[in-house]
Amino acid sequence: MARLFAHHPEALDSTLRVLEATRGFSLDQLRHEYPDEILEPGRTPQQTFARRVAEAAAERWPAGVPPDIQARIDHELRLIDQLGYAPYFLTVHEVVRFARGKGILCQGRGSAANSTCCYVLGITAVDPAQHDLLFERFVSANRREPPDIDVDFEHERREEVIQSIYQRYGRDRAAIAGTVIRFRARSAIREVGKAMGLSEDVTARLAKA
């Protein structure tokens, strides 16, 4: 390496400095850091989240929360507390609450639909009383993976939601990630066929042609 980098001896020195700087570091030391601006005075994120869920549940079931639903809520709250995810749920709730307050259509989807707490807070619309939900499909203590709540907003007013996030959390701590897909001819034909309602066998023959 010294021969290959003979004209840049500082490069070899830098590798040693990088090695020394990362000594003792492991990737499993990395943790997600969630916003804490939405804390209610005198309460921890978990206490804030639990209180919001309790208040929303009381509104949904004025005559009393059904015992099976309350058991699910208690189970989820324990797991969320154990994994320290309350700030994340609060952040999503803040975004959804802003949208609903402005009359912007929004809907949570994906694995978050397995959460009774998300349903109670109006983030998702899958009624736990009508479906057999399994929270562990969404959040699991064994996987130790952070939750992922996908929320769709009506596209005509999505920019309002984006700007509110920028204003609340700052442009230096909020970002938009985009995915660009480049289709080859066959893939493009298949996607157009799906959009037009053509059957799989028809689009397959068209793609081959």
Side-chain angles (χ1 to χ4, degrees):
M1 296 305 293
R3 178 175 55 81
L4 291 173
F5 288 90
H7 298 295
H8 301 283
E10 70 280 2
L12 288 183
D13 294 337
S14 295
T15 61
L16 296 176
R17 285 199 296 273
V18 170
L19 180 65
E20 186 61 34
T22 57
R23 192 180 302 279
F25 171 76
S26 175
L27 286 176
D28 59 13
Q29 295 173 347
L30 296 177
R31 295 287 182 273
H32 282 74
E33 294 185 20
Y34 302 110
D36 59 7
E37 299 92 336
I38 52 179
L39 296 183
E40 295 176 0
R43 290 189 174 89
T44 65
Q46 182 66 28
Q47 291 169 340
T48 301
F49 182 63
R51 180 177 180 229
R52 290 191 187 183
V53 171
E55 291 175 348
E59 290 181 12
R60 281 188 181 273
W61 294 282
V65 182
D68 61 324
I69 300 296
Q70 188 61 57
R72 293 184 185 189
I73 291 174
D74 294 341
H75 168 68
E76 291 186 19
L77 288 176
R78 282 194 298 272
L79 191 54
I80 291 169
D81 186 24
Q82 174 188 339
L83 299 176
Y85 291 155
Y88 174 73
F89 281 83
L90 286 170
T91 298
V92 175
H93 184 226
E94 286 295 305
V95 176
V96 169
R97 192 157 67 168
F98 165 82
R100 296 202 190 283
K102 295 291 186 177
I104 300 172
L105 298 177
C106 63
Q107 185 66 72
R109 58 178 172 83
S111 60
N114 285 287
S115 170
T116 301
C117 288
C118 282
Y119 170 76
V120 168
L121 292 174
I123 297 171
T124 58
V126 179
D127 188 345
Q130 304 295 325
H131 303 276
D132 186 19
L133 306 183
L134 180 60
F135 186 62
E136 278 69 14
R137 289 179 189 156
F138 172 45
V139 173
S140 170
N142 295 326
R143 290 198 306 270
R144 305 293 296 185
E145 294 176 355
D148 180 20
I149 302 177
D150 298 314
V151 182
D152 291 324
F153 299 92
E154 58 175 308
H155 67 276
E156 293 92 346
R157 302 188 64 188
R158 191 177 302 145
E159 185 63 26
E160 294 178 49
V161 179
I162 293 172
Q163 292 304 321
S164 75
I165 291 173
Y166 279 147
Q167 291 169 10
R168 186 178 189 98
Y169 300 105
R171 289 180 178 270
D172 57 327
R173 291 186 293 148
I176 298 176
T179 301
V180 178
I181 299 175
R182 297 178 63 184
F183 288 106
R184 294 184 179 178
R186 288 190 179 183
S187 298
I189 291 171
R190 287 180 183 276
E191 290 300 316
V192 171
K194 283 182 189 177
M196 296 181 68
L198 300 179
S199 63
E200 190 67 33
D201 59 328
V202 172
T203 55
R205 287 203 301 272
L206 286 171
K208 288 179 181 178

Short mmCIF file of all heavy atoms in Angstrom, two decimals, residues 77-123:
data_model
loop_
_atom_site.label_atom_id
_atom_site.label_comp_id
_atom_site.label_asym_id
_atom_site.label_seq_id
_atom_site.Cartn_x
_atom_site.Cartn_y
_atom_site.Cartn_z
N LEU A 77 -49.15 -0.97 24.86
CA LEU A 77 -48.49 0.08 25.63
C LEU A 77 -47.28 -0.46 26.39
O LEU A 77 -46.25 0.21 26.48
CB LEU A 77 -49.49 0.72 26.61
CG LEU A 77 -50.57 1.62 25.99
CD1 LEU A 77 -51.53 2.10 27.05
CD2 LEU A 77 -49.94 2.81 25.27
N ARG A 78 -47.40 -1.67 26.91
CA ARG A 78 -46.27 -2.27 27.62
C ARG A 78 -45.09 -2.49 26.68
O ARG A 78 -43.93 -2.20 27.02
CB ARG A 78 -46.68 -3.61 28.25
CG ARG A 78 -47.48 -3.47 29.55
CD ARG A 78 -47.56 -4.80 30.28
NE ARG A 78 -48.25 -5.81 29.50
CZ ARG A 78 -49.57 -6.02 29.52
NH1 ARG A 78 -50.34 -5.26 30.30
NH2 ARG A 78 -50.12 -6.97 28.80
N LEU A 79 -45.38 -3.01 25.48
CA LEU A 79 -44.31 -3.29 24.52
C LEU A 79 -43.69 -2.00 23.99
O LEU A 79 -42.46 -1.90 23.85
CB LEU A 79 -44.86 -4.14 23.37
CG LEU A 79 -43.82 -4.75 22.42
CD1 LEU A 79 -42.79 -5.56 23.20
CD2 LEU A 79 -44.50 -5.62 21.37
N ILE A 80 -44.52 -1.01 23.71
CA ILE A 80 -44.02 0.28 23.24
C ILE A 80 -43.14 0.93 24.30
O ILE A 80 -42.09 1.51 24.00
CB ILE A 80 -45.20 1.20 22.86
CG1 ILE A 80 -45.90 0.67 21.59
CG2 ILE A 80 -44.73 2.64 22.65
CD1 ILE A 80 -47.21 1.35 21.28
N ASP A 81 -43.54 0.81 25.56
CA ASP A 81 -42.74 1.35 26.66
C ASP A 81 -41.41 0.59 26.78
O ASP A 81 -40.34 1.20 26.93
CB ASP A 81 -43.52 1.22 27.96
CG ASP A 81 -42.81 1.89 29.13
OD1 ASP A 81 -42.00 2.81 28.90
OD2 ASP A 81 -43.08 1.49 30.28
N GLN A 82 -41.47 -0.73 26.67
CA GLN A 82 -40.27 -1.56 26.78
C GLN A 82 -39.24 -1.21 25.71
O GLN A 82 -38.03 -1.16 25.98
CB GLN A 82 -40.65 -3.04 26.65
CG GLN A 82 -39.48 -4.00 26.62
CD GLN A 82 -39.92 -5.42 26.29
OE1 GLN A 82 -41.07 -5.80 26.46
NE2 GLN A 82 -38.98 -6.23 25.80
N LEU A 83 -39.70 -0.94 24.50
CA LEU A 83 -38.80 -0.66 23.38
C LEU A 83 -38.50 0.82 23.20
O LEU A 83 -37.68 1.19 22.35
CB LEU A 83 -39.40 -1.24 22.09
CG LEU A 83 -39.62 -2.76 22.10
CD1 LEU A 83 -40.31 -3.21 20.82
CD2 LEU A 83 -38.29 -3.49 22.26
N GLY A 84 -39.17 1.68 23.95
CA GLY A 84 -38.90 3.11 23.88
C GLY A 84 -39.40 3.78 22.61
O GLY A 84 -38.79 4.74 22.12
N TYR A 85 -40.53 3.31 22.07
CA TYR A 85 -41.02 3.82 20.79
C TYR A 85 -42.09 4.91 20.93
O TYR A 85 -42.60 5.41 19.92
CB TYR A 85 -41.60 2.68 19.95
CG TYR A 85 -40.56 1.70 19.45
CD1 TYR A 85 -40.91 0.39 19.14
CD2 TYR A 85 -39.23 2.07 19.30
CE1 TYR A 85 -39.97 -0.52 18.67
CE2 TYR A 85 -38.29 1.17 18.84
CZ TYR A 85 -38.65 -0.13 18.53
OH TYR A 85 -37.72 -1.02 18.07
N ALA A 86 -42.46 5.27 22.15
CA ALA A 86 -43.54 6.25 22.33
C ALA A 86 -43.29 7.56 21.58
O ALA A 86 -44.22 8.09 20.95
CB ALA A 86 -43.75 6.52 23.82
N PRO A 87 -42.05 8.12 21.59
CA PRO A 87 -41.85 9.38 20.85
C PRO A 87 -42.18 9.25 19.37
O PRO A 87 -42.71 10.20 18.77
CB PRO A 87 -40.35 9.67 21.07
CG PRO A 87 -40.01 8.97 22.33
CD PRO A 87 -40.84 7.72 22.33
N TYR A 88 -41.87 8.10 18.78
CA TYR A 88 -42.16 7.91 17.35
C TYR A 88 -43.67 7.91 17.10
O TYR A 88 -44.15 8.57 16.18
CB TYR A 88 -41.55 6.60 16.87
CG TYR A 88 -41.93 6.25 15.44
CD1 TYR A 88 -41.38 6.95 14.37
CD2 TYR A 88 -42.84 5.24 15.16
CE1 TYR A 88 -41.73 6.65 13.07
CE2 TYR A 88 -43.19 4.93 13.86
CZ TYR A 88 -42.64 5.63 12.83
OH TYR A 88 -42.99 5.33 11.53
N PHE A 89 -44.42 7.18 17.92
CA PHE A 89 -45.87 7.15 17.77
C PHE A 89 -46.46 8.54 17.95
O PHE A 89 -47.40 8.93 17.25
CB PHE A 89 -46.49 6.18 18.79
CG PHE A 89 -46.39 4.74 18.39
CD1 PHE A 89 -45.23 4.02 18.64
CD2 PHE A 89 -47.44 4.10 17.77
CE1 PHE A 89 -45.13 2.69 18.28
CE2 PHE A 89 -47.35 2.76 17.40
CZ PHE A 89 -46.20 2.05 17.66
N LEU A 90 -45.90 9.30 18.90
CA LEU A 90 -46.40 10.65 19.12
C LEU A 90 -46.15 11.56 17.92
O LEU A 90 -46.99 12.38 17.55
CB LEU A 90 -45.72 11.26 20.37
CG LEU A 90 -46.20 10.71 21.72
CD1 LEU A 90 -45.29 11.20 22.83
CD2 LEU A 90 -47.64 11.09 21.99
N THR A 91 -44.98 11.40 17.30
CA THR A 91 -44.66 12.21 16.12
C THR A 91 -45.65 11.93 14.99
O THR A 91 -46.18 12.85 14.36
CB THR A 91 -43.22 11.94 15.65
OG1 THR A 91 -42.31 12.29 16.67
CG2 THR A 91 -42.90 12.74 14.40
N VAL A 92 -45.90 10.64 14.74
CA VAL A 92 -46.86 10.28 13.68
C VAL A 92 -48.24 10.82 14.03
O VAL A 92 -48.95 11.36 13.17
CB VAL A 92 -46.91 8.75 13.50
CG1 VAL A 92 -48.00 8.38 12.49
CG2 VAL A 92 -45.55 8.23 13.03
N HIS A 93 -48.62 10.71 15.30
CA HIS A 93 -49.93 11.21 15.71
C HIS A 93 -50.03 12.72 15.50
O HIS A 93 -51.09 13.23 15.08
CB HIS A 93 -50.18 10.87 17.19
CG HIS A 93 -51.53 11.26 17.67
ND1 HIS A 93 -51.74 11.92 18.86
CD2 HIS A 93 -52.76 11.10 17.11
CE1 HIS A 93 -53.03 12.15 19.01
NE2 HIS A 93 -53.67 11.67 17.97
N GLU A 94 -48.94 13.44 15.78
CA GLU A 94 -48.95 14.88 15.56
C GLU A 94 -49.19 15.22 14.09
O GLU A 94 -49.95 16.13 13.77
CB GLU A 94 -47.63 15.49 16.03
CG GLU A 94 -47.46 15.57 17.53
CD GLU A 94 -48.47 16.51 18.16
OE1 GLU A 94 -48.53 17.68 17.75
OE2 GLU A 94 -49.21 16.06 19.05
N VAL A 95 -48.54 14.49 13.20
CA VAL A 95 -48.68 14.75 11.77
C VAL A 95 -50.11 14.46 11.32
O VAL A 95 -50.73 15.24 10.60
CB VAL A 95 -47.67 13.92 10.95
CG1 VAL A 95 -47.90 14.12 9.46
CG2 VAL A 95 -46.24 14.32 11.32
N VAL A 96 -50.64 13.33 11.77
CA VAL A 96 -52.01 12.95 11.40
C VAL A 96 -53.01 13.93 11.99
O VAL A 96 -53.98 14.33 11.35
CB VAL A 96 -52.31 11.51 11.85
CG1 VAL A 96 -53.80 11.19 11.71
CG2 VAL A 96 -51.48 10.52 11.05
N ARG A 97 -52.77 14.34 13.23
CA ARG A 97 -53.68 15.27 13.88
C ARG A 97 -53.69 16.61 13.15
O ARG A 97 -54.76 17.23 13.01
CB ARG A 97 -53.26 15.45 15.35
CG ARG A 97 -54.28 16.16 16.18
CD ARG A 97 -54.15 15.85 17.65
NE ARG A 97 -52.92 16.36 18.25
CZ ARG A 97 -52.72 16.40 19.57
NH1 ARG A 97 -53.66 15.97 20.40
NH2 ARG A 97 -51.59 16.87 20.06
N PHE A 98 -52.54 17.05 12.69
CA PHE A 98 -52.48 18.29 11.91
C PHE A 98 -53.33 18.15 10.64
O PHE A 98 -54.13 19.03 10.31
CB PHE A 98 -51.04 18.62 11.52
CG PHE A 98 -50.94 19.67 10.45
CD1 PHE A 98 -51.02 21.01 10.75
CD2 PHE A 98 -50.78 19.30 9.11
CE1 PHE A 98 -50.96 21.98 9.76
CE2 PHE A 98 -50.72 20.26 8.11
CZ PHE A 98 -50.80 21.61 8.43
N ALA A 99 -53.13 17.03 9.92
CA ALA A 99 -53.85 16.83 8.66
C ALA A 99 -55.36 16.80 8.88
O ALA A 99 -56.12 17.46 8.17
CB ALA A 99 -53.38 15.53 8.00
N ARG A 100 -55.80 16.07 9.88
CA ARG A 100 -57.24 15.98 10.13
C ARG A 100 -57.80 17.32 10.58
O ARG A 100 -58.93 17.68 10.24
CB ARG A 100 -57.52 14.90 11.17
CG ARG A 100 -57.13 13.50 10.70
CD ARG A 100 -57.87 12.43 11.47
NE ARG A 100 -57.33 11.10 11.18
CZ ARG A 100 -57.57 10.41 10.09
NH1 ARG A 100 -58.32 10.94 9.14
NH2 ARG A 100 -57.05 9.20 9.92
N GLY A 101 -57.00 18.09 11.33
CA GLY A 101 -57.45 19.41 11.75
C GLY A 101 -57.63 20.37 10.59
O GLY A 101 -58.42 21.30 10.68
N LYS A 102 -56.90 20.12 9.50
CA LYS A 102 -57.00 20.95 8.31
C LYS A 102 -57.95 20.35 7.26
O LYS A 102 -58.07 20.89 6.17
CB LYS A 102 -55.62 21.13 7.67
CG LYS A 102 -54.62 21.90 8.52
CD LYS A 102 -55.01 23.37 8.63
CE LYS A 102 -53.94 24.16 9.37
NZ LYS A 102 -54.28 25.61 9.42
N GLY A 103 -58.57 19.23 7.61
CA GLY A 103 -59.47 18.59 6.65
C GLY A 103 -58.75 17.90 5.52
O GLY A 103 -59.33 17.70 4.44
N ILE A 104 -57.50 17.52 5.73
CA ILE A 104 -56.71 16.83 4.71
C ILE A 104 -56.91 15.33 4.87
O ILE A 104 -56.67 14.79 5.95
CB ILE A 104 -55.21 17.18 4.83
CG1 ILE A 104 -55.01 18.70 4.67
CG2 ILE A 104 -54.39 16.42 3.80
CD1 ILE A 104 -53.60 19.16 4.97
N LEU A 105 -57.36 14.66 3.83
CA LEU A 105 -57.60 13.23 3.91
C LEU A 105 -56.29 12.49 4.12
O LEU A 105 -55.29 12.76 3.45
CB LEU A 105 -58.27 12.74 2.62
CG LEU A 105 -59.64 13.32 2.29
CD1 LEU A 105 -60.14 12.79 0.95
CD2 LEU A 105 -60.64 13.00 3.39
N CYS A 106 -56.29 11.56 5.07
CA CYS A 106 -55.09 10.76 5.30
C CYS A 106 -55.49 9.40 5.86
O CYS A 106 -56.57 9.25 6.44
CB CYS A 106 -54.12 11.47 6.25
SG CYS A 106 -54.75 11.75 7.92
N GLN A 107 -54.63 8.45 5.67
CA GLN A 107 -54.92 7.09 6.11
C GLN A 107 -53.63 6.31 6.32
O GLN A 107 -52.78 6.24 5.43
CB GLN A 107 -55.77 6.36 5.06
CG GLN A 107 -56.23 4.98 5.47
CD GLN A 107 -57.20 5.05 6.63
OE1 GLN A 107 -58.33 5.47 6.48
NE2 GLN A 107 -56.74 4.69 7.81
N GLY A 108 -53.47 5.73 7.50
CA GLY A 108 -52.33 4.86 7.75
C GLY A 108 -52.58 3.51 7.11
O GLY A 108 -53.72 3.08 6.95
N ARG A 109 -51.51 2.84 6.73
CA ARG A 109 -51.66 1.54 6.05
C ARG A 109 -50.49 0.64 6.41
O ARG A 109 -49.64 0.99 7.21
CB ARG A 109 -51.72 1.74 4.54
CG ARG A 109 -50.50 2.43 3.95
CD ARG A 109 -50.59 2.56 2.43
NE ARG A 109 -49.53 3.38 1.89
CZ ARG A 109 -48.31 2.97 1.61
NH1 ARG A 109 -47.98 1.70 1.87
NH2 ARG A 109 -47.41 3.77 1.10
N GLY A 110 -50.48 -0.54 5.80
CA GLY A 110 -49.39 -1.48 6.02
C GLY A 110 -49.50 -2.19 7.35
O GLY A 110 -50.59 -2.34 7.91
N SER A 111 -48.37 -2.60 7.89
CA SER A 111 -48.36 -3.39 9.12
C SER A 111 -48.88 -2.61 10.32
O SER A 111 -49.30 -3.20 11.32
CB SER A 111 -46.95 -3.90 9.40
OG SER A 111 -46.05 -2.81 9.57
N ALA A 112 -48.89 -1.28 10.25
CA ALA A 112 -49.40 -0.47 11.36
C ALA A 112 -50.87 -0.75 11.62
O ALA A 112 -51.38 -0.46 12.71
CB ALA A 112 -49.20 1.02 11.06
N ALA A 113 -51.57 -1.31 10.61
CA ALA A 113 -52.99 -1.63 10.79
C ALA A 113 -53.19 -2.71 11.84
O ALA A 113 -54.32 -2.96 12.27
CB ALA A 113 -53.59 -2.08 9.46
N ASN A 114 -52.12 -3.37 12.28
CA ASN A 114 -52.21 -4.38 13.33
C ASN A 114 -52.18 -3.75 14.73
O ASN A 114 -52.25 -4.47 15.72
CB ASN A 114 -51.06 -5.38 13.21
CG ASN A 114 -51.26 -6.35 12.08
OD1 ASN A 114 -52.09 -7.25 12.16
ND2 ASN A 114 -50.50 -6.18 11.01
N SER A 115 -52.08 -2.45 14.79
CA SER A 115 -51.99 -1.77 16.08
C SER A 115 -53.34 -1.21 16.51
O SER A 115 -53.94 -0.39 15.81
CB SER A 115 -50.97 -0.63 16.00
OG SER A 115 -51.04 0.18 17.16
N THR A 116 -53.80 -1.65 17.67
CA THR A 116 -55.04 -1.12 18.22
C THR A 116 -54.85 0.33 18.64
O THR A 116 -55.75 1.16 18.48
CB THR A 116 -55.48 -1.96 19.44
OG1 THR A 116 -55.66 -3.32 19.02
CG2 THR A 116 -56.79 -1.44 20.02
N CYS A 117 -53.67 0.67 19.16
CA CYS A 117 -53.41 2.06 19.56
C CYS A 117 -53.47 2.99 18.36
O CYS A 117 -54.00 4.10 18.45
CB CYS A 117 -52.03 2.16 20.23
SG CYS A 117 -51.96 1.45 21.89
N CYS A 118 -52.94 2.55 17.22
CA CYS A 118 -53.00 3.37 16.00
C CYS A 118 -54.45 3.57 15.57
O CYS A 118 -54.83 4.65 15.12
CB CYS A 118 -52.19 2.72 14.88
SG CYS A 118 -50.41 2.94 15.02
N TYR A 119 -55.27 2.53 15.71
CA TYR A 119 -56.68 2.66 15.36
C TYR A 119 -57.38 3.64 16.30
O TYR A 119 -58.13 4.52 15.85
CB TYR A 119 -57.37 1.30 15.43
CG TYR A 119 -58.87 1.38 15.32
CD1 TYR A 119 -59.49 1.62 14.09
CD2 TYR A 119 -59.68 1.26 16.46
CE1 TYR A 119 -60.87 1.72 13.99
CE2 TYR A 119 -61.06 1.36 16.37
CZ TYR A 119 -61.65 1.59 15.14
OH TYR A 119 -63.01 1.69 15.04
N VAL A 120 -57.13 3.50 17.58
CA VAL A 120 -57.78 4.35 18.57
C VAL A 120 -57.45 5.82 18.32
O VAL A 120 -58.31 6.70 18.44
CB VAL A 120 -57.34 3.93 19.99
CG1 VAL A 120 -57.77 4.98 21.02
CG2 VAL A 120 -57.94 2.57 20.35
N LEU A 121 -56.20 6.10 17.94
CA LEU A 121 -55.77 7.48 17.70
C LEU A 121 -56.17 8.00 16.32
O LEU A 121 -55.90 9.15 15.99
CB LEU A 121 -54.26 7.59 17.87
CG LEU A 121 -53.72 7.40 19.29
CD1 LEU A 121 -52.21 7.38 19.30
CD2 LEU A 121 -54.24 8.50 20.21
N GLY A 122 -56.78 7.14 15.50
CA GLY A 122 -57.22 7.58 14.18
C GLY A 122 -56.14 7.55 13.13
O GLY A 122 -56.32 8.10 12.04
N ILE A 123 -55.01 6.90 13.44
CA ILE A 123 -53.94 6.80 12.45
C ILE A 123 -54.28 5.77 11.38
O ILE A 123 -54.02 5.97 10.20
CB ILE A 123 -52.60 6.45 13.14
CG1 ILE A 123 -52.20 7.57 14.11
CG2 ILE A 123 -51.50 6.21 12.11
CD1 ILE A 123 -51.01 7.24 14.99
#
